[in-house]
Amino acid sequence: MAISNPDKVFFPEVGLTKEGLAAYYRDVADCALPHLRGRPFHMVRYPNGVAADFFHQKRVPSHPDFVGEQFVQFPSGHSTVFAIVGNKAALEWVINLGCIELHTWHSRVPKIEEPDYVLIDLDPSRDGQWAYVRQIALVVREVMDELGLASYPKTSGATGLHILAPIKPELPFPDVRRFAKALAEEVERRVGDQEIATTTWRVADRRGVFVDYGQNSRDKTIACAYSVRPTPDARVSAPLLWEEVPDVDPSAFTVQTMRERIASVGDPTKGMWQRKRGLKPLFAKLGVEYG
C-alpha cells in the first residue's frame, strides 16, 4: 500500500523517514510476523515521529479487510476491538498510522485468555547495571533449561532484556503469572545478591536488576521481536543467540543494522512457536502447587 507523507522524518537524529521505517518492516516482515499473528495489537501512534507527541489507541479504527479484529471485554465492564496484524499488508497499514512499535498481547486468537509464552523481563533499577542484566539472563536460561523450557532472549530495545519461553495456551494469565513469579524467585535465590537481582515489587526498595514476572498479566503488552523502539537511534528489539548474551550491547541493533544482521546470523527465533511446552507438570519443580 502507498505510505502517506513518505518523506516525513520520524527519527531526526538518524534521518529516518516514515517510508524508511515502512521499508524496514517490509524487509523483516517474514521474521516479525510469526510473533504478531493472532495477537491483539495495541497501537501507540507517533503521527509526527519520535520527537513529537504520541497517543495510545486500543480500538482499531476503520480498516481494510486484510486487517483482522478481536473483541475484548475488560473486568471493568469496558470493551474494545483490537486490530490483529497477521500479514504484510496489515503490518504496513499500522505503520502508515504512525505505529513505530509493535505492541502485542501475550496470547493469540482464539485463546486470548491463555498466554502462549512465559516472559521474564530483566529491568535495570538504575544506570550501570547492564552487566548484571547479562549475568542474570544466563541464570534464567539455566532455570528454564532445567524445567525443559526452550528459552529465547531478545533485547527490549530500551534498557532491558526479555527472555521468552513458548508454552501451550492452556492456562489462564493468573496461573502463568504465578509460575513466572516462582521462576523469578528461583533466579533471585540462585544469584543470591539483592544488589544484582531482585524480585522486590516496590520500586523504592529495589537496588539490583528487577527480575520482573508481572508482565505475565492480561492486557499487558511488550514490543515484540524486531519491533523498532522510539529511541533517537531507531533501536530495535533484537532476538539474540544465547552465545551472544554475555557480551551483547543493545545499541548495536538498529533499523540501519538489522537487515545485515539477519543476513549474517539468520533469525534466532525461527521455529520458536513449534517448541511450546505445557506448564502444569512444572509447577512442582519450582515448589509451587498448581491450581
Side-chain angles (χ1 to χ4, degrees):
M1 62 177 290
I3 297 295
S4 61
N5 302 309
D7 297 327
K8 181 178 287 187
V9 177
F10 264 31
F11 291 81
E13 186 170 297
V14 293
L16 181 67
T17 64
K18 187 179 182 184
E19 170 57 34
L21 179 68
Y24 163 78
Y25 277 120
R26 289 188 204 107
D27 291 344
V28 304
D30 288 342
C31 296
L33 282 170
H35 307 287
L36 287 167
R37 289 191 180 101
R39 300 190 188 279
F41 185 93
H42 179 111
M43 295 183 179
V44 184
R45 296 176 60 178
Y46 294 77
N48 295 301
V50 298
D53 292 339
F54 66 92
F55 62 95
H56 292 262
Q57 183 174 356
K58 291 185 177 181
R59 183 172 295 275
V60 60
S62 178
H63 55 278
D65 291 342
F66 54 72
V67 177
E69 58 180 46
Q70 175 62 39
F71 174 83
V72 173
Q73 184 84 39
F74 297 103
S76 65
H78 295 293
S79 64
T80 194
V81 177
F82 283 92
I84 301 292
V85 178
N87 54 68
K88 291 182 180 180
L91 177 57
E92 197 165 19
W93 182 78
V94 295
I95 302 310
N96 194 46
L97 291 180
C99 296
I100 289 172
E101 303 173 276
L102 309 179
H103 282 284
T104 56
W105 274 37
H106 305 332
S107 56
R108 303 183 196 248
V109 174
K111 295 188 173 184
I112 63 167
E113 303 301 335
E114 298 165 349
D116 69 346
Y117 63 84
V118 175
L119 170 68
I120 297 296
D121 179 6
L122 302 181
D123 185 15
S125 300
R126 55 179 64 89
D127 292 340
Q129 292 186 324
W130 183 250
Y132 292 163
V133 169
R134 296 182 297 198
Q135 175 185 343
I136 300 164
L138 299 178
V139 180
V140 175
R141 182 194 188 189
E142 177 183 274
V143 176
M144 288 186 172
D145 281 352
E146 291 174 10
L147 292 168
L149 293 171
S151 57
Y152 292 84
K154 71 181 183 70
T155 62
S156 71
T159 60
L161 192 104
H162 295 155
I163 303 165
L164 284 69
I167 60 173
K168 293 179 180 178
E170 57 188 11
L171 298 180
F173 279 98
D175 283 344
V176 174
R177 187 181 186 278
R178 284 181 60 241
F179 181 88
K181 180 181 180 182
L183 196 158
E185 289 173 343
E186 176 61 16
V187 170
E188 177 187 45
R189 185 190 68 79
R190 294 192 188 192
V191 172
D193 186 342
Q194 288 287 309
E195 297 291 337
I196 296 176
T198 184
T199 59
T200 300
W201 196 253
R202 189 166 181 266
V203 175
D205 294 337
R206 292 179 201 155
R207 299 189 302 275
V209 172
F210 184 38
V211 186
D212 187 2
Y213 54 86
Q215 295 296 322
N216 297 277
S217 302
R218 190 181 190 270
D219 198 30
K220 293 282 189 179
T221 65
I222 61 166
C224 77
Y226 298 102
S227 173
V228 181
R229 304 306 304 273
T231 58
D233 57 351
R235 201 167 293 189
V236 171
S237 180
L240 304 170
L241 301 171
W242 271 111
E243 54 263 36
E244 296 177 302
V245 169
D247 301 306
V248 68
D249 178 357
S251 68
F253 310 111
T254 67
V255 167
Q256 289 84 354
T257 66
M258 281 302 293
R259 295 175 180 86
E260 183 178 347
R261 170 175 169 77
I262 293 170
S264 174
V265 306
D267 175 14
T269 64
K270 186 176 181 179
M272 171 179 173
W273 301 111
Q274 282 70 58
R275 301 187 67 189
K276 295 178 181 178
R277 172 79 188 272
L279 283 190
K280 290 180 183 179
L282 306 184
F283 278 76
K285 292 186 176 183
L286 289 172
V288 180
E289 184 177 349
Y290 168 69

